[in-house]
Amino acid sequence: MATCEVIVIANQKGGVGKTTTAFNLGAALAKEVKKVLLVDADPQGDLTTYMGCSNLNNIPVTLATLMNRAINDEEVNSKKAIIRYNEKLDLLPTNLELSSLEINLVTAMCGEYVLRNIIAELKDNYDYVLIDSMPSLGLLTINTLACADKVIIPVQSEFFAAKGMSNLMSHILKVKRSINPNINVGGILLTMVDGRTNLAKEINSEIKEKYGTMFKLFDSQIPRAIKAAESTRTGESILEYDKNSKISKSYMNFAKEVIGCDREEKTRNTDVWIR
Ligand code: ATP
Ligand code: MG
């Protein structure tokens, strides 16, 4: 297996399409014959639910179980938590237990690196590990950033889309300086784009103007589509639910761009960003 890339899908703003993007990017990369592990690092457990686990309380081993064991210095055995979604796609599920664990991270020895040690045990089996993070910049999110080679930032195409972005970028920069020097911003992805309006173009220009010199703005954009919500109720990715839809094709193109980025320079004007 070639080297694994760990990508965190992050934005502290809620409801921008992080989980939908994590699942469908994972499904699209799997269609590109990549072996993918999806990690649900949001205590809401939405990714676990979107992938068809309806009763979160009945999952015997979750990410919370693993992180608790790691904090208590017990044997972790990360592979026991993995649920096989299909031949190319695995899930490390979670549930609400993860939220009560966050407080234990504060006092844990090297609390920022608990997730990183768990992922390190698993990553050799995959081409990509995609981590869905929660809408906050707390210790759990820091744990996800501590593992990451790359952060992909979904931004909902709406007025004030860029609000809060500078906060997120400076947070990632602090992590880069103090916890994980390998981390880079992989790019910004516009989601829920309504192609019938000029608003999308305006927002695209605004983000390009503010962040385009430092970070990649993906050419692919994810359209607003009711199918995104419908598919979550069936436990299917949009690619399975309606593979010929516009949104399906957008996620496939996005996956190709993500694979292509590996071949491009890994950092984009990182020096400018860091200064
Ligand atoms: P949270 O911050 O709560 O974790 P999130 O950023 O993970 O939210 P999602 O759960 O992916 O966001 O999406 C929020 C809602 O928007 C969901 O109901 C989802 O079905 C819907 N949604 C996501 N992407 C699209 C889209 N392209 N078109 C229409 N609806 C979408
Ligand atoms: Mg989510």
Side-chain angles (χ1 to χ4, degrees):
M1 182 99 31
T3 40
C4 172
E5 179 156 66
V6 180
I7 301 177
V8 174
I9 314 294
N11 189 335
Q12 80 277 27
K13 200 164 171 190
V16 297
K18 294 181 287 296
T19 307
T20 305
T21 295
F23 184 16
N24 291 293
L25 173 61
L29 288 169
K31 285 233 180 311
E32 291 289 318
V33 209
K34 302 293 181 188
K35 187 101 203 302
V36 181
L37 173 65
L38 283 166
V39 178
D40 189 350
D42 179 355
Q44 297 178 105
D46 286 347
L47 178 62
T48 308
T49 309
Y50 288 8
M51 292 180 77
C53 299
S54 49
N55 194 343
L56 299 186
N57 293 329
N58 279 356
I59 304 170
V61 186
T62 65
L63 180 61
T65 325
L66 302 183
M67 289 181 76
N68 247 326
R69 283 189 198 145
I71 289 170
N72 295 326
D73 216 8
E74 294 164 15
E75 194 187 341
V76 176
N77 203 350
S78 306
K79 284 193 184 130
K80 281 213 166 134
I82 304 285
I83 296 173
R84 174 130 301 182
Y85 183 81
N86 67 30
E87 207 186 313
K88 291 273 170 206
L89 198 57
D90 285 348
L91 167 69
L92 208 173
T94 206
N95 60 22
L96 258 184
E97 263 182 60
L98 193 65
S99 90
S100 47
L101 174 138
E102 192 168 21
I103 190 86
N104 300 343
L105 289 170
V106 179
T107 50
M109 176 104 74
C110 301
E112 299 91 347
Y113 297 108
V114 175
L115 181 60
R116 184 157 100 172
N117 295 337
I118 289 166
I119 300 298
E121 257 190 43
L122 296 167
K123 63 196 260 190
D124 284 353
N125 300 318
Y126 299 95
D127 297 304
Y128 289 94
V129 173
L130 303 184
I131 307 177
D132 181 32
S133 65
M134 66 193 292
S136 93
L137 296 174
L139 253 180
L140 266 172
T141 303
I142 291 184
N143 259 262
T144 66
L145 298 174
C147 315
D149 299 307
K150 222 181 232 179
V151 190
I152 288 177
I153 304 169
V155 172
Q156 186 177 343
S157 179
E158 59 173 1
F159 281 119
F160 308 117
K163 202 174 159 213
M165 288 260 292
S166 59
N167 204 5
L168 175 61
M169 295 308 189
S170 72
H171 199 75
I172 297 170
L173 182 53
K174 275 187 210 149
V175 168
K176 187 174 179 75
R177 284 197 173 123
S178 57
I179 297 174
N180 177 11
N182 292 328
I183 195 169
N184 280 306
V185 175
I188 297 167
L189 173 73
L190 279 182
T191 62
M192 301 188 218
V193 177
D194 193 342
R196 289 166 301 180
T197 67
N198 282 329
L199 179 64
K201 278 185 202 144
E202 283 171 33
I203 291 164
N204 201 42
S205 316
E206 185 195 339
I207 304 240
K208 215 168 203 164
E209 200 177 293
K210 282 194 175 149
Y211 296 102
T213 51
M214 284 183 273
F215 307 114
K216 180 181 172 67
L217 181 56
F218 287 103
D219 293 334
S220 313
Q221 298 185 346
I222 308 302
R224 179 176 289 284
I226 190 73
K227 289 190 171 78
E230 283 171 1
S231 64
T232 59
R233 278 184 240 125
T234 65
E236 292 170 302
S237 69
I238 296 162
L239 280 71
E240 294 162 288
Y241 186 75
D242 185 351
K243 74 171 179 179
N244 293 319
S245 60
K246 201 172 157 207
I247 183 165
S248 241
K249 289 176 184 158
S250 303
Y251 272 116
M252 279 309 300
N253 287 336
F254 174 47
K256 289 188 179 112
E257 261 194 90
V258 169
I259 295 169
C261 285
D262 295 350
R263 288 178 226 121
E264 284 174 25
E265 48 169 356
K266 280 214 160 183
T267 48
R268 228 176 121 81
N269 291 340
T270 308
D271 292 348
V272 181
W273 179 37
I274 284 175
R275 246 180 263 136

